[in-house]
Amino acid sequence: MTSLRAFTCDDLFRFNNINLDPLTETYGIPFYLQYLAHWPEYFIVAEAPGGELMGYIMGKAEGSVAREEWHGHVTALSVAPEFRRLGLAAKLMELLEEISEKKGGFFVDLFVRVSNQVAVNMYKQLGYSVYRTVLEYYSASNGEPDEDAYDMRKALSRDMEKKSIIPLPHPVRPEDIE
Amino acid sequence: MAARGHVQDPNDRRLRPIYDYLDNGNNKMAIQQADKLLKKHKDLHCAKVLKAIGLQRTGKQDEAYALAQEVAALEPTDDNSLQALTILYREMHRPELVTKLYEAAVKKVPNSEEYHSHLFMAYARVGEYKKMQQAGMALYKIVPKNPYYFWSVMSLIMQSISAQDENLSKTMFLPLAERMVEKMVKEDKIEAEAEVELYYMILERLEKYQEALDVVRGKLGEKLTSELQSRENKCMAMYKKLCRWPECNALSRRLLLKNSDDWQFYITYFDSVFQLIDESWAPPLEEEQSLEGEVHYSIEQAVKFIEERITEESKSARPLRGPYLAKLELIRRLRCRGCNDEYKLGDPEELMFQYFKKFGDKPCCFTDLKVFVDLLPSSQYTKFISQLLEVIPLSATAESEVALPADIKALQQHLCVVQLTRLLGIYHAMDKKEKLTAVRELMLRYRHGLEFGEETAVWQCLTFLEEGLSHSPSNAQFKLLLIRIYCRLGAFEPVAELYSSLDAKHIQHDTIGYLLTRYAESLGHYAAASQSCNFALRFFHSNQKDTSEYIIQAYKYGAFEKIPEFIAFRNRLNSSLHFAQVRTERMLLDLLLEANISTSLEESIKSMSLSPEEDDIPWKDLRDNRDLTVLFNWDPKDRDISEEHRKLSLEEETMWLRIRSLTLRLVSGLPTLSHTIQPKNSEETAENGVSSKIDTIRSLLQQLEAAVDSGKKFLEQKIQYPVLGPPPTRMAGFFSNGSCQCQTSLFYLVSDIYELDTNGLEDSAEIQERIGNSFKSLIERLTDLFNKCKGDLIEVRDGTLKTQPNLLENLVFFVETISITLWVSSYCDSVLRPFKSNLQKKKKKKKESSVAMPPVFTHFLDYVTELQTLTSNVIDHIKGLEIILTALKLEELSLKDTLLLQEEKKFTKTVQGKVQSSYHHSVQEIGELLKKRLDTIKKLKI
C-alpha cells in the first residue's frame, strides 16, 4: 500500500523522517537539483496513504556505451524506520533496474559502507555482488579513520555474459574510479 | 577554473600561472602575477579580469568592479575574458551583467553558436523570458538543432507562468507555444521525448485535455519511455480532467492487476466505480467498453475485484498490504453511502484484527489502521484492544511484574497495540493514577509514554528519554522529544548538543531550524543563537545562485517540466517564514550584542544596510516551511496537530515577526534623526532630510501599535497548541511582562525629543514637561519589568524540583528593553548636549550666574542616574542567581519519587545536572551583556 511517484522539490521539505536516520546523508540543494534536472526519472519517492513519505531512491545513468560501461547507478536509497521490513527498498531497486534496462544499461551499481552489513546483505539478496573495494571512499569528519566502500554490481540483460560483474582482484583508490 | 581554449595560444601560457594561483586560493599572488603580466602586455584584457577576481576574493569589491567594467566596456570577444568575467560577475552576485557582456559579443560575432548559447543561459539565470525566447530562435537560425527551438518554446511557457494577466497567458503565450510545436509536428521534426513532454505540458496548461490525450496515446506518445508508466500516468491524469470515468476505471483496474499494492490506483478505481454508478452508466452494446478495456460499474464487480486481489495476494511471495486495506477502504466508502453490510465484506473490527495478525509486527501497521479506526464503534474500543493483546505472545517472568514480549516480532506487535490504545483515547480517559500506572508499565517495557501536566512528569519524561537515548544513541525521535522538553524547561544547553547530533543541514535549516531559533535567544544563549541564525542564513543566501544554475541545467537536459518546479522551489525558499525570522532576529541580536558597545549604533546599522523605510519581508506570500510533524504522534485526532493549528501558528508567527521587524526598523531610524549625520544648517535639508525621517518613524510607530493590537486580539483566543505541536511565539511574554509597553513608549519619547530639538529650549516648557513625565513612567515600567524577573529559577519544594523558566525569558526581554532604552537615551543625549554647550557659552559671555537651567536637563540627569541604579540592581540580582545555581547541590537531593528505579535515578541526576548547568550558562551570558550595557550608561552624563 504505497504510492510511487516522481520525487519533486516540495518533497525536500517533508523528508525529515527519512533523512534524520544517521546513515542517510542530507545533501546540499544543488545535489538534489542536479539529479532532478538530469535524471528525473531516476528519482522516485514512495508515499503512504496518510501522506507520510516512506522512502526514496535517487540514481543516474552514466558511463561509456562503447566501452560497455553504460550503467544505472544508485546514489541514495533510504526508507524511514517505520516503513522498513515491507520490502520497499527492494521495490525501489526493482524500478531503478527496470529503467536502466530500458535505457540499455549493461549493469546497475552502487556504493555501500563495508560496515553496513544489513545493506550489503540486502543487496546480495537482490542479486548484487561485490565487484571491487574502494579504499577510504567515505570520509569521516570526527577524526575517525575513513571507511572503505564496496562497489556492488548486478548485470542487466544486455550484458549477456555477465562480464561487467567479474570481481576485480585488487582494491582501488577513490581517485581511480570514474 | 573553467576550461581554457587552445593550448597553443601564447596568451594561455602567460595566463596559466594566474589561473593556478586563483585555483589554489592564492589570491594575492594572482594579483601580483597579473600586474607583472600587464606591465609587459597592456592589452591582455583577460589578465585584468583575473586580477579583478583576485581583488573580489580578497574583499576589494569596488576595485574589482571598476576593473571589470574597464574590460567590459571594450566588449571583449575572446573566450578567456568572457569566461573570466562570467565567473567574476557570478561571484559578485551580478548575473545581469553577464547578459550585457554576451549581448555585446553576439553583436560582434553574430554567427557564434557558442556566444548565443551563453547569452541564452545568461538570460535564463536572471529570468528574462522574452529575451530567452528570442535568443533561442536566433540560435536555431544559426544552427537548426531541435533543442534550441524548444528552448524558445519553453521560454514562452515561462512567460505565460510569470504573466500577471492570466488572460494574456492563455490567449497569447500558450497558443503561440502550441503553434510553434504544431509546426514541428507537421514537418515531422519531433525528435526527443522532452519535446513531447513539452507539447503535453502546453496542452495541459491550455486545458486542451482531449488534444493532450491524443498526443499521449498517439505516435508521439511512443517516445515517452524514460519515466516508468509515463504514458499511463499521463492518460490517467487526462481521463480525470475529462471525467472519462470508464477509462479511469479500466486503466486503474489494469494497473492494479499489474501491481495490486499501488494505493493511488485503488483510490481512482473506487472513485470511478462510484461515479459510474451515480451516472447509471451502462456499457455500449457494440464497441469495446472503453478505450482502456473492461470497465467495472457496479458495487458487485468492485467487491468481487477486491476479493480477487486478496486471493491473488495469498499467492504472492511477499505479503502485500494493499488488497486488505482496499477492502477496508471499500467498506468505508459503502458506509458513507449508507450501505451497511449488504455486500458481505465482513465486519471491520474482525478485518482489522486479521490485518493486525498479518501485519502487526510491521511498524507501519499503526499508520495503516489509523486511517480506518472511524469504522469501529467507540463502545468496542476496549474490546478491540484486548482482542489484539490476546494474540501477542507475552510471558510473565520471575523478575518482572508485567508480562513481556518474547521476541522482536511480539515487541513490535505490542508497540502497535499501545499506539492504537493511545489513538483510541483510552489513555486519555484514565485518571491520573491509572495514567501513572500505565506509564510505569510502559517504562518497564522500555516504551516511553508521555503524559504532560505536572512538572514531576516532565522530569520523568526527560529521565526516560535520556535513558532511551543512552541505549539507542541515534534515535532521532528521542532527540527531538528531548529538545522540545528541555526547551519547555528553559534549558537550551543540552538542546544545542542534541540538535547538532541530528546532523541537520541544508534544507533542514528551513524545515526544523525553528526548534533552535525559537529558544536560543529567548533563553539567553546569545552565542548559540547567533550561530544558528548564521547557519540558516548561509543556506538561504546560497539558494538564489544554486537554483539558477539548475534551471539552466534543466534547459540543457530538456527536463522542461522541472523548470517551473525549480522556480517555485526558489520562491518557496525566498519567501520562507523562517528566513524572514532569522534575518530579522539576526540583526536585532547583532544590535543587542554590539551597538554602542563595540561599534556605534549608527555604524552597526550602516554595516547591515538597514533603513527604516525598507521592508524586505514578503508579508503576503510568507511560506511556512516548518516540518511540524517531524515528531511522531499517536494521539487521537482531536489532540493531533490539525490544519487549524498550522494556520493559527503561522498567523501568530507572522504577527510576532511584524512586531519584531517594526522594532528593528524603528531602531534603525534613530541615527538618522541625529545632527551628527544631517547637520541642520538650512531649512531645505530639514524639509527633505530629517523631517521626513521623523515622519517615517511616526508612521512605523503607528504600525507597531496596530501590530501590537492585533497580537493582543489574537492571544485573547487563548489557543492551546498540542504539546508537541508548533511552539508558541514569545509574543505572550512580551505583552505580559510589560516589555511591549516600555518599548512603544520609548519610541513615543523619540518623537517628543525630536519636537524639542526642532522647537528649541525656549517656549517648549510643555514638551519638556512631557519628556520629564515620560522619563519617570519609563523608570516605573522598567522597575515593574525587573520585578517580573525576580524569584528562583530552580528550587526544591516539598521534595520536588520546581523551575521557573519564564524568569529567564523575562530577563532576556529586560536586557533587550534596556538596550533600546539606552539607544533612545543616547539620541536624547545627542539632542541635549549642543543645547547645553550653547547655554554654557552664553553663561560665560554674560558672566552671569543666573542663566536658568531648563528643566529637561534635570529630568534627564535624574533619569540617567535612576537607570544606572536599576541596571546595577538587576546585575546584582543576576549575580545572586549565579551564586544560588552554583551552590545548589542537586546530587544530594533525594526526591521523593517512588516510581523510579535505582538505575533510572542515575539518569534523573544527569537531567537535573544538565538543566542546572544550562541555567547557569544563560544567567552568565545575560549578566555579561547587561554589564556591558551598564558601562554605556556612564557616557550619558551630559
Side-chain angles (χ1 to χ4, degrees):
Chain A
M1 151 125 135
T2 302
S3 300
L4 295 163
R5 57 169 178 78
F7 191 100
T8 68
C9 287
D10 278 341
D11 293 317
L12 294 169
F13 293 96
R14 305 168 49 216
F15 69 0
N16 284 320
N17 64 330
I18 305 170
N19 272 37
L20 286 175
D21 176 272
L23 287 176
T24 304
E25 179 72 13
T26 299
Y27 298 101
I29 299 295
F31 197 71
Y32 296 111
L33 296 191
Q34 184 198 347
Y35 277 81
L36 287 171
H38 202 154
W39 307 279
E41 67 279 8
Y42 266 124
F43 204 162
I44 302 167
V45 65
E47 197 174 55
E52 303 95 347
L53 298 189
M54 305 165 77
Y56 60 82
I57 193 164
M58 175 164 102
K60 60 180 169 183
E62 61 183 7
S64 134
V65 180
R67 281 187 286 165
E68 301 195 0
E69 281 165 359
W70 172 247
H71 69 284
H73 176 76
V74 184
T75 304
L77 169 62
S78 185
V79 175
E82 66 271 34
F83 298 107
R84 291 188 189 155
R85 300 150 58 82
L86 294 169
L88 186 57
K91 179 78 199 168
L92 291 168
M93 287 294 288
E94 202 183 287
L95 294 178
L96 187 133
E97 287 162 20
E98 201 181 324
I99 298 169
S100 307
E101 277 285 357
K102 278 209 214 158
K103 288 186 187 290
F106 291 90
F107 59 91
V108 169
D109 80 341
L110 56 92
F111 292 105
V112 58
R113 287 175 187 275
V114 289
S115 66
N116 192 350
Q117 266 310 310
V118 178
V120 172
N121 287 338
M122 181 192 78
Y123 291 127
K124 281 186 178 161
Q125 269 187 3
L126 298 177
Y128 287 75
S129 54
V130 174
Y131 168 68
R132 59 187 169 181
T133 303
V134 187
L135 298 169
E136 295 170 358
Y137 179 77
Y138 294 102
S139 46
S141 53
N142 45 359
E144 282 168 39
D146 292 345
E147 191 175 345
D148 298 349
Y150 287 137
D151 177 355
M152 297 183 79
R153 287 186 177 187
K154 179 179 181 175
L156 295 176
S157 58
R158 186 165 180 188
D159 178 16
M160 279 181 295
E161 293 156 45
K162 295 192 189 300
K163 283 190 291 189
S164 62
I165 61 165
I166 301 166
L168 293 190
H170 303 294
V172 294
R173 307 275 330 159
E175 52 272 23
D176 300 329
I177 56 176
E178 281 177 32
Chain B
M1 189 122 322
R4 297 132 216 179
H6 319 280
V7 193
Q8 287 83 358
D9 188 340
N11 280 343
D12 277 355
R13 188 177 38 78
R14 292 182 188 118
L15 292 168
R16 183 162 296 272
I18 316 181
Y19 281 115
D20 289 341
Y21 283 129
L22 286 173
D23 282 348
N24 299 326
N26 199 342
N27 298 314
K28 277 199 186 132
M29 283 304 289
I31 298 171
Q32 276 180 25
Q33 186 68 30
D35 279 334
K36 227 196 273 171
L37 195 57
L38 283 167
K39 261 184 205 155
K40 272 197 242 162
H41 308 271
K42 276 210 177 69
D43 299 329
L44 196 45
H45 307 309
C46 183
K48 270 192 197 168
V49 186
L50 295 179
K51 182 182 168 187
I53 293 178
L55 289 167
Q56 167 77 15
R57 290 180 184 172
T58 45
K60 294 177 182 147
Q61 281 87 350
D62 294 343
E63 276 177 67
Y65 180 71
L67 205 53
Q69 290 316 84
E70 239 176 73
V71 180
L74 301 169
E75 306 188 336
T77 52
D78 64 300
D79 272 353
N80 282 331
S81 301
L82 286 169
Q83 282 179 17
L85 275 167
T86 306
I87 289 165
L88 176 64
Y89 288 149
R90 231 181 271 173
E91 287 184 17
M92 288 176 149
H93 300 281
R94 298 287 302 272
E96 74 282 2
L97 294 176
V98 183
T99 62
K100 300 269 172 306
L101 199 62
Y102 280 101
E103 275 168 6
V106 299
K107 240 179 233 159
K108 285 193 178 168
V109 196
N111 281 324
S112 161
E113 179 182 5
E114 198 190 338
Y115 293 167
H116 272 284
S117 125
H118 279 302
L119 180 59
F120 178 87
M121 293 307 171
Y123 287 140
R125 202 166 270 124
V126 292
E128 290 252 27
Y129 304 127
K130 187 157 176 51
K131 290 188 175 160
M132 286 162 75
Q133 181 201 337
Q134 293 157 349
M137 279 321 282
L139 256 173
Y140 186 68
K141 273 180 198 142
I142 301 167
V143 202
K145 291 183 186 164
N146 266 17
Y148 297 151
Y149 187 85
F150 284 91
W151 284 2
S152 189
V153 177
M154 185 62 207
S155 309
L156 272 167
I157 299 181
M158 289 316 298
Q159 286 180 69
S160 95
I161 291 177
S162 62
Q164 300 292 329
D165 180 356
E166 201 177 325
N167 200 26
L168 197 65
S169 114
K170 283 236 167 96
T171 56
M172 196 175 101
F173 296 127
L174 288 173
L176 190 53
E178 186 192 8
R179 277 201 301 278
M180 281 181 73
V181 182
E182 273 170 359
K183 182 167 176 278
M184 295 296 265
V185 176
K186 272 185 206 133
E187 293 169 14
D188 203 20
K189 282 188 185 161
I190 298 281
E191 288 166 2
E193 179 176 4
E195 296 157 17
V196 183
E197 289 268 4
L198 193 61
Y199 194 17
Y200 173 81
M201 220 168 122
I202 296 166
L203 293 170
E204 196 190 3
R205 283 174 185 271
L206 276 169
E207 296 173 36
K208 292 192 169 179
Y209 303 128
Q210 184 58 52
E211 289 83 344
L213 189 61
D214 294 342
V215 169
V216 177
R217 291 180 56 89
K219 188 125 184 49
L220 287 176
E222 285 167 19
K223 291 195 189 290
L224 299 170
T225 53
S226 284
E227 203 184 306
L228 291 176
Q229 292 181 4
S230 174
R231 277 177 104 176
E232 287 87 344
N233 288 337
K234 288 190 170 69
C235 284
M236 186 75 96
M238 292 304 102
Y239 291 143
K240 282 186 191 165
K241 290 281 188 198
L242 291 164
C243 297
R244 300 265 290 258
W245 302 115
E247 277 75 16
C248 275
N249 180 273
L251 182 56
S252 55
R253 193 188 66 87
R254 247 181 41 216
L255 291 168
L256 283 172
L257 285 174
K258 236 172 87 186
N259 175 8
S260 64
D261 209 32
D262 204 321
W263 189 244
Q264 55 192 330
F265 300 128
Y266 279 111
I267 299 294
T268 322
Y269 175 80
F270 289 137
D271 284 348
S272 57
V273 169
F274 288 114
Q275 281 288 349
L276 291 170
I277 292 172
D278 291 343
E279 292 171 8
S280 322
W281 185 84
L285 292 174
E286 312 263 302
E287 326 133 47
E288 249 211 297
Q289 290 199 334
S290 79
L291 285 177
E292 301 285 350
E294 191 190 331
V295 178
H296 287 171
Y297 53 99
S298 73
I299 297 178
E300 288 76 10
Q301 283 171 314
V303 169
K304 185 162 165 274
F305 179 66
I306 297 303
E307 296 286 14
E308 279 168 9
R309 298 286 66 69
I310 292 178
T311 319
E312 280 299 307
E313 191 278 341
S314 59
K315 295 177 203 152
S316 108
R318 181 187 289 282
L320 299 175
R321 292 135 67 227
Y324 298 96
L325 292 167
K327 190 167 176 178
L328 284 165
E329 175 68 19
L330 183 55
I331 294 176
R332 203 176 63 77
R333 288 179 180 235
L334 286 172
R335 287 238 183 129
C336 285
R337 298 171 66 90
C339 312
N340 248 325
D341 199 26
E342 295 98 299
Y343 298 98
K344 307 260 177 294
L345 278 159
D347 177 20
E349 192 179 330
E350 176 60 21
L351 290 173
M352 286 167 84
F353 174 61
Q354 293 302 332
Y355 189 82
F356 175 80
K357 284 211 287 192
K358 217 166 160 67
F359 298 103
D361 61 325
K362 309 290 185 196
C364 62
C365 184
F366 170 75
T367 38
D368 287 349
L369 291 181
K370 188 178 177 180
V371 183
F372 300 107
V373 285
D374 289 344
L375 292 176
L376 296 175
S378 57
S379 57
Q380 297 295 307
Y381 286 174
T382 321
K383 196 184 129 223
F384 176 64
I385 294 292
S386 25
Q387 195 187 1
L388 299 187
L389 275 174
E390 270 166 32
V391 294
I392 308 174
L394 297 177
S395 47
T397 58
E399 311 92 71
S400 176
E401 53 196 271
V402 294
L404 293 170
D407 53 20
I408 293 180
K409 205 174 146 181
L411 184 144
Q412 271 301 347
Q413 288 175 324
H414 185 261
L415 176 57
C416 178
V417 177
V418 170
Q419 290 163 344
L420 285 167
T421 311
R422 180 155 178 161
L423 177 73
L424 294 174
I426 295 174
Y427 289 136
H428 296 96
M430 289 177 174
D431 66 23
K432 205 163 94 190
K433 204 172 144 212
E434 285 171 327
K435 278 183 188 170
L436 285 173
T437 319
V439 171
R440 180 71 262 152
E441 197 191 310
L442 292 178
M443 203 36 225
L444 284 168
R445 295 177 190 287
Y446 190 61
R447 290 288 156 246
H448 305 114
L450 280 175
E451 298 299 331
F452 278 95
E454 262 188 48
E455 198 166 331
T456 43
V458 175
W459 291 106
Q460 271 179 30
C461 287
L462 289 174
T463 302
F464 297 159
L465 288 166
E466 285 281 7
E467 183 178 358
L469 193 60
S470 80
H471 295 302
S472 319
S474 35
N475 186 313
Q477 288 295 318
F478 285 164
K479 292 178 192 172
L480 291 165
L481 275 170
L482 278 166
I483 286 175
R484 290 300 301 270
I485 301 170
Y486 275 122
C487 283
R488 277 175 80 93
L489 270 185
F492 189 78
E493 203 172 55
V495 171
E497 199 181 307
L498 285 161
Y499 189 87
S500 91
S501 79
L502 280 174
D503 201 19
K505 47 195 172 186
H506 309 302
I507 191 134
Q508 288 164 330
H509 289 307
D510 193 19
T511 54
I512 57 172
Y514 70 95
L515 294 170
L516 278 190
T517 49
R518 161 63 185 84
Y519 293 100
E521 189 196 344
S522 69
L523 293 171
H525 285 249
Y526 299 122
S530 254
Q531 202 191 29
S532 43
C533 284
N534 280 351
F535 283 141
L537 287 175
R538 207 172 304 151
F539 164 73
F540 285 114
H541 285 143
S542 62
N543 158 45
Q544 184 75 27
K545 210 174 63 179
D546 288 348
T547 33
S548 308
E549 218 42 59
Y550 293 95
I551 291 166
I552 288 169
Q553 298 249 322
Y555 276 104
K556 285 190 185 159
Y557 298 120
F560 293 121
E561 52 167 5
K562 290 289 164 194
I563 294 167
E565 187 183 319
F566 287 179
I567 290 173
F569 175 68
R570 179 169 71 192
N571 293 343
R572 183 168 175 184
L573 285 177
N574 277 338
S575 48
S576 158
L577 165 75
H578 188 63
F579 183 23
Q581 284 172 325
V582 288
R583 218 154 63 211
T584 311
E585 291 296 341
R586 172 71 231 241
M587 289 191 271
L588 279 168
L589 188 61
D590 277 353
L591 293 179
L592 185 68
L593 298 177
E594 287 160 16
N596 286 358
I597 293 177
S598 52
T599 49
S600 72
L601 179 64
E602 188 192 330
E603 279 163 31
S604 302
I605 285 166
K606 204 178 143 209
S607 75
M608 292 177 202
S609 325
L610 258 175
S611 106
E613 290 87 5
E614 246 170 77
D615 183 4
D616 65 349
I617 297 175
W619 295 104
K620 280 193 197 125
D621 305 316
L622 279 181
R623 288 290 299 265
D624 189 354
N625 296 335
R626 290 177 298 169
D627 183 354
L628 294 173
T629 47
V630 64
L631 273 155
F632 293 153
N633 196 332
W634 294 279
D635 282 342
K637 242 189 229 159
D638 58 330
R639 284 170 184 255
D640 205 348
I641 303 163
S642 66
E643 268 316 302
E644 187 65 10
H645 289 134
R646 286 171 198 276
K647 215 188 94 221
L648 287 167
S649 167
L650 172 61
E651 202 183 325
E652 182 183 339
E653 295 285 350
T654 310
M655 283 176 174
W656 177 234
L657 176 62
R658 200 180 287 279
I659 292 175
R660 300 296 280 172
S661 148
L662 286 166
T663 308
L664 177 66
R665 289 168 65 195
L666 277 161
V667 171
S668 77
L670 286 177
T672 62
L673 298 174
S674 293
H675 296 296
T676 44
I677 300 175
Q678 295 261 342
K680 203 177 59 175
N681 44 17
S682 78
E683 281 300 305
E684 279 126 292
T685 47
E687 285 287 309
N688 308 325
V690 183
S691 75
S692 66
K693 296 285 181 198
I694 192 71
D695 290 341
T696 309
I697 297 235
R698 284 175 183 150
S699 135
L700 288 175
L701 184 50
Q702 266 174 12
Q703 293 175 44
L704 178 64
E705 288 269 31
V708 166
D709 276 347
S710 37
K712 282 184 179 158
K713 274 205 198 87
F714 180 88
L715 290 179
E716 274 167 21
Q717 304 173 69
K718 300 223 180 308
I719 291 146
Q720 285 276 332
Y721 301 112
V723 176
L724 299 178
T729 65
R730 302 165 68 194
M731 192 160 68
F734 181 64
F735 293 153
S736 67
N737 66 25
S739 319
C740 174
Q741 263 197 320
C742 283
Q743 296 190 8
T744 38
S745 62
L746 275 164
F747 295 117
Y748 277 111
L749 179 61
V750 170
S751 166
D752 283 341
I753 293 170
Y754 180 82
E755 217 179 314
L756 178 73
D757 192 13
T758 41
N759 283 353
L761 286 179
E762 288 135 43
D763 303 324
S764 62
E766 196 202 328
I767 305 172
Q768 295 193 29
E769 174 83 24
R770 206 156 68 215
I771 293 175
N773 288 338
S774 295
F775 285 152
K776 268 185 216 128
S777 73
L778 199 59
I779 295 291
E780 278 163 26
R781 281 179 180 154
L782 285 168
T783 314
D784 281 347
L785 178 52
F786 173 36
N787 287 335
K788 299 236 165 68
C789 304
K790 286 180 184 166
D792 284 320
L793 271 173
I794 189 165
E795 64 171 337
V796 184
R797 212 188 298 151
D798 311 328
T800 52
L801 213 49
K802 299 274 176 198
T803 57
Q804 298 197 70
N806 63 315
L807 294 179
L808 271 183
E809 295 220 35
N810 288 348
L811 262 177
V812 169
F813 270 124
F814 179 88
V815 176
E816 185 185 289
T817 309
I818 206 86
S819 305
I820 300 177
T821 309
L822 293 172
W823 295 326
V824 169
S825 305
S826 97
Y827 166 60
C828 204
D829 178 80
S830 76
V831 169
L832 295 182
R833 221 175 264 269
F835 282 142
K836 188 163 182 179
S837 54
N838 273 345
L839 275 180
Q840 275 163 343
K841 272 181 213 155
K842 272 188 203 164
K843 219 174 172 178
K844 274 185 195 160
K845 270 187 197 159
K846 295 190 179 171
K847 300 210 166 155
E848 283 173 42
S849 52
S850 62
V851 174
M853 271 291 161
V856 73
F857 290 166
T858 354
H859 294 323
F860 185 67
L861 285 174
D862 291 349
Y863 156 78
V864 170
T865 313
E866 282 182 83
L867 215 52
Q868 198 170 1
T869 318
L870 177 65
T871 310
S872 306
N873 288 344
V874 181
I875 290 175
D876 288 342
H877 170 68
I878 292 176
K879 269 185 207 145
L881 286 177
E882 261 193 85
I883 293 170
I884 296 173
L885 280 169
T886 320
L888 191 66
K889 295 272 185 287
L890 287 177
E891 56 273 24
E892 286 165 16
L893 203 154
S894 84
L895 294 176
K896 59 166 189 188
D897 195 338
T898 47
L899 277 172
L900 292 179
L901 299 174
Q902 201 51 43
E903 199 187 335
E904 288 162 356
K905 285 189 175 147
K906 195 177 81 196
F907 288 99
T908 307
K909 300 270 181 224
T910 316
V911 167
Q912 290 168 343
K914 282 186 180 177
V915 172
Q916 185 185 4
S917 149
S918 176
Y919 285 172
H920 197 246
H921 182 142
S922 300
V923 166
Q924 263 180 339
E925 273 203 58
I926 299 171
E928 271 164 37
L929 178 56
L930 197 55
K931 267 184 235 157
K932 288 184 195 156
R933 286 284 161 214
L934 179 65
D935 290 339
T936 71
I937 301 186
K938 292 168 186 158
K939 292 180 201 148
L940 293 175
K941 300 263 171 85
I942 54 165

